Structures are given as C-alpha cells and as structure tokens.
Amino acid sequence: MTAEQFIIDDRENNLFRVNREAFTSEEVLQRERKEIFDKTWLYVGHESEIPGKNDFQTRDVGGRPVIFNRDRHGDVRVLLNTCLHRGSSVCRHSSGNAKIFTCFYHGWAYRNSGELVNVPGNEDYKSEPAAVYKGLQSPAQVDSYRGLYFVNFDPDAPDLLTFLGEARYFIDLAADQSPEGVAILEGTHKYSLKANWKLLVENSIDGYHAKSVHHTYFEMMMELGATPPMLGKETVNGVAPAGMGTEFPNGHATLMYPANGLPLATDSVKQTLANLRAQAEQTFGENYATAMFGLARNSVFFPSLILIDLSFGLTLRTFYPVSPSETLVTGWQIIPKGVDEEFVKYRINNALTFWGPAGLATPDDVEALEQAQKGFGARGEVGWSDVSKGMGKPVPAANDELQMRSWWREWNRRITGQQLPTEGTSFVPFDKQDVDA
C-alpha cells in the first residue's frame, strides 16, 4: 500500500477519510506491532499498585508479558515475564508479594530484581547459566511521570517527557486532585471486544456519539434534575458549553467541556469534592483548580492510554490488539488519596455501573464498535470512513473530530513515514505549571 491509501487529508475541502483496510488487515497489524508498539512509550502501571517492597503486578504490554514490581530494596522495576531457559512465565499470578520468581516448567528462580539465583541441576552445565544469562530482561527504557510508569522497547526513542510534551498537563490535572496524590483503586476491569483497537481509540475521544449511543444516561440525568454535559450555559476557563477538542504533538489529544453533574452524589461526596477544590485553589490558584474540577476531559496519549475525568469518576484505560478484529481492554479507577469511605464507595459504584463491562456506558460502546467492525466486511464496496466533523473550524467543539484526526496523523506518520501538518495550535485551559522545576 502507498501512504495515500490509508489517509485522505484534504484541507481544501475539509475532508478527512481513513481507509477501512486499516481496521481489518493482518499486514497493517504487523506493521503496527513493529512501528508503534515496539517503538512508542506504553503505559504499564501506577506506583500505588505496588506500594510495598516485593509487591508486584503482571501485565501484558504491547504484546509482551511483564512483571511490574518493587524489588526488595523498594526500587520499581519492569521485568519481562519469560524464563531465560525455555520461555515460560516466571510469575503466573496477577498480583502479590514475592522476593523470588520461579519458572514452574524447570524451576529456574530469579530475585525480584531480576538476577538468576537458582538453576536445578546447575552442576550439569559446563558453563553456569547464571554467569551466561545474568537475569531477567527489562524493556530498553522505563520511566515515570506523576506516578504513571511507562516502558519503551526502543532504546533510541525520545525520552518520556519529550514524548508526552504539553499533553502531560492533563496528567497533572488528575495527579493534583489531592494534596496527598492519587492512587489506583484495587480491582481491575478486563474485557475484550470483537473490534479493531483503533475503533476504541476513536470512541474514547469521540464526543459525537455521546447523545446517540448513551441517550439512556442523558435521560437519567435529566430525570434527576442534572444538566447533561455539553448542554449547559457556562463557559469555564475559556471552554464554551459545547466544549472543544485540542491536539498536541505526537498524536496526543483531548476533548473537554464544562463538567458533568453529580446526580447520584450525596452531600458528603459533594462536600469532599468542594474540600479538594478549596485545597487546590490554595495550592495552585483558582484558574488551575477550576480546570481541575470544573471541566470534564477525555484524553488520549498515543497510542492507547486513555484518561477520562467526568467529575463523578476518573478512569484510566489501556488496550492492545489480539488480532485485527479483537482487542483486550484493561481499565482502572483513580481516587484522590485521603478521601473518606463514602467517597470511595461512590467512585466504586460509578466505576461498576457506568464504566464497567456490565455498566451503563461500556456495553453500548462495545455494541457500536462491533457493529462498525462488522460493517467493514463491505470495505470492497464502501472503502473509507469519514472523520471530517468540525474540520476547518477555528475552534472545534467537543463533539467534533479534531482529536481523532490528530491521532490518525501520528498513526499514519509512524506507519507510512508521511508527515501531515496539524490543524491548529494546542490549548491548555489553565495557567501552566512549571513541571520541570
């Protein structure tokens, strides 16, 4: 395929189209594995998930099994979960606390800092395996930002802070919601859908589908007397009621709009949020606190880390392809540290009933995406998808599609080498913090 076959970026007519072959081709998936998942910063976990020495979580990141852990000295590590002997996992548990990881196949054992420390039948080797193989391997680069750990399997890739760029301020808006920081709630949502992973990228930053796919949620809010998002009247930090989309370098993008209501929150939960906002105002100023608590945001950090803050919950999601038509999703809820039990229960309830695989929103999204994937069976006759909404507007709204086009241009650059210009300037709706200080 030539570069032009994947993307049509027609600035004269404000048309942006994506070749549906990108959603169905095994060849495209293999190129994505090589050019994206082997070379891009990928989220692996949050430091709060491994608070103590010897704590660990196992994950699949970009097609690799990894152990995300603290060693016996408290240092955070990411180890590839594959025995140097014959490849089996050295840790088969999803989480726990262990000083030693042992391969169940032949019993090779490794310290949680990676060193190979025991080989059954070691005396039968002329060259001792520990001297030859040293220990478990790690990704070429491991780094963190505000407690979020990322890996990159490319030793030559730009550093994490450079990769995140200005988009990292949207991580700050989550990380600063409590003076004590934030933590991941125990418990993980894991599910799969029969659709290409890029459809979920689009869906996660797609304000256009909200009223049609999630109309039940909107009706529920109206019945409870709450104003649905995007239907209010107030402009917040320069963000109009209709919201806006903005793009950043490297394929990161955000849509934001004045915050959702809190229809099911108790007075205690509302007071806790008010206290957090007051503390943020005192520390960072009113402008930053208003952006933090007065705006809702859906952000994508290329390629597939999603951070969604809808006032009634803050969720983190990442996903990876199994095949061109199947995607595995993992989701977590983030909570400000120091909040009371009632607030935690409120957030857990929203995590289950709204974002969960059996919740109010996710099943509708999954149905829509699986229908789209099924529709791509007619790509011989209908070969292109349209992502043009709002193209050419000086300030695209939240329900326009600038954020998707931004992501697709970065995808296209990595897959084809074709560099396409951005549509406008990035916008951060608050006074920037000097995060390098």
Side-chain angles (χ1 to χ4, degrees):
M1 279 189 171
T2 63
E4 288 73 21
Q5 286 180 291
F6 287 119
I7 298 293
I8 294 176
D9 191 359
D10 181 353
R11 302 301 173 93
E12 182 178 354
N13 296 299
N14 290 324
L15 283 175
F16 191 96
R17 293 193 284 180
V18 178
N19 192 321
R20 292 182 175 181
E21 195 74 15
F23 297 99
T24 61
S25 166
E26 178 63 33
E27 178 189 347
V28 169
L29 177 58
Q30 294 308 315
R31 290 170 69 172
E32 289 172 338
R33 294 192 191 286
K34 180 180 178 183
E35 302 299 335
I36 294 177
F37 295 110
D38 286 359
K39 297 182 179 179
T40 310
W41 285 96
L42 304 172
Y43 177 72
V44 65
H46 189 267
E47 62 183 8
S48 63
E49 296 178 275
I50 46 172
K53 293 179 180 178
N54 308 314
D55 287 345
F56 71 85
Q57 300 275 340
T58 55
R59 301 271 153 80
D60 288 317
V61 178
R64 277 91 157 176
V66 303
I67 305 169
F68 172 54
N69 74 307
R70 286 187 192 273
D71 66 19
R72 63 192 186 284
H73 304 296
D75 295 328
V76 175
R77 295 178 180 272
V78 180
L79 304 169
L80 292 172
N81 190 7
T82 177
C83 182
L84 298 173
H85 180 217
R86 301 280 276 278
S88 294
S89 300
V90 298
C91 181
R92 295 188 293 161
H93 302 283
S94 60
S95 62
N97 184 279
K99 296 179 180 178
I100 298 290
F101 299 122
T102 302
C103 176
F104 90 105
Y105 194 7
H106 297 93
W108 286 31
Y110 305 82
R111 284 198 185 98
N112 59 12
S113 47
E115 299 94 335
L116 177 59
V117 293
N118 185 58
V119 173
N122 190 54
E123 64 278 9
D124 297 326
Y125 290 88
K126 186 174 182 179
S127 299
E128 291 193 5
V132 174
Y133 299 113
K134 309 300 182 186
L136 296 173
Q137 301 296 304
S138 293
Q141 298 189 64
V142 179
D143 203 350
S144 67
Y145 183 70
R146 305 302 306 268
L148 278 68
Y149 275 80
F150 296 78
V151 299
N152 197 315
F153 298 102
D154 180 4
D156 300 320
D159 65 85
L160 176 63
L161 202 59
T162 300
F163 173 71
L164 291 174
E166 201 173 34
R168 67 187 186 276
Y169 293 120
F170 289 89
I171 295 177
D172 294 337
L173 284 178
D176 288 330
Q177 291 190 9
S178 165
E180 301 173 43
V182 295
I184 299 287
L185 279 173
E186 187 175 355
T188 306
H189 281 136
K190 293 183 178 180
Y191 57 95
S192 64
L193 60 152
K194 294 179 180 177
N196 186 273
W197 68 282
K198 299 184 290 297
L199 281 171
L200 187 52
V201 172
E202 291 183 344
N203 173 266
S204 298
I205 48 173
D206 177 9
Y208 192 19
H209 80 287
K211 292 179 185 175
S212 52
V213 170
H214 303 304
H215 63 89
T216 303
Y217 167 69
F218 283 79
E219 290 171 357
M220 182 197 76
M221 289 193 72
M222 294 291 282
E223 289 180 3
L224 292 170
T227 301
M230 305 178 197
L231 297 181
K233 298 179 180 178
E234 185 182 3
T235 295
V236 179
N237 282 22
V239 178
M244 65 177 296
T246 191
E247 59 181 330
F248 299 96
N250 299 324
H252 313 310
T254 299
L255 70 84
M256 49 195 152
Y257 47 88
N260 301 53
L262 299 166
L264 300 178
T266 64
D267 290 341
S268 172
V269 169
K270 293 176 181 175
Q271 186 58 54
T272 298
L273 276 173
N275 293 341
L276 291 172
R277 177 167 180 157
Q279 290 173 311
E281 284 183 5
Q282 187 173 14
T283 304
F284 304 109
E286 183 178 355
N287 183 265
Y288 187 77
T290 299
M292 189 184 301
F293 294 101
L295 290 172
R297 301 169 293 278
N298 287 40
S299 304
V300 59
F301 302 90
F302 191 91
S304 61
L305 173 64
I306 308 296
L307 181 61
I308 302 175
D309 187 345
L310 299 183
S311 307
F312 57 81
L314 210 167
T315 191
L316 197 65
R317 175 195 298 161
T318 192
F319 40 87
Y320 297 105
V322 177
S323 73
S325 59
E326 184 177 2
T327 302
L328 285 180
V329 185
T330 307
W332 302 267
Q333 279 290 315
I334 303 174
I335 198 84
K337 288 184 177 177
V339 294
D340 59 31
E341 186 176 351
E342 183 172 338
F343 188 91
V344 173
K345 287 182 177 177
Y346 171 73
R347 286 293 182 87
I348 290 175
N349 184 57
N350 288 335
L352 293 172
T353 59
F354 187 78
W355 280 292
L360 190 61
T362 297
D364 292 339
D365 286 328
V366 169
E367 172 64 15
L369 302 188
E370 291 187 346
Q371 283 192 28
Q373 189 72 34
K374 186 177 180 180
F376 294 156
R379 64 188 178 282
E381 293 74 30
V382 184
W384 297 82
S385 289
D386 181 90
V387 195
S388 304
K389 191 171 186 298
M391 195 171 178
K393 283 184 179 179
V395 182
N399 62 3
D400 289 325
E401 297 172 338
L402 167 67
Q403 50 280 6
M404 281 174 263
R405 293 191 293 274
S406 174
W407 186 93
W408 271 111
R409 290 186 183 109
E410 176 64 11
W411 179 92
N412 189 60
R413 183 188 72 79
R414 289 177 176 270
I415 295 297
T416 70
Q418 181 188 33
Q419 182 81 52
L420 296 166
T422 61
E423 291 185 44
T425 57
S426 303
F427 174 73
V428 176
F430 53 87
D431 295 331
K432 298 173 184 175
Q433 298 181 99
D434 185 6
V435 295
D436 297 326

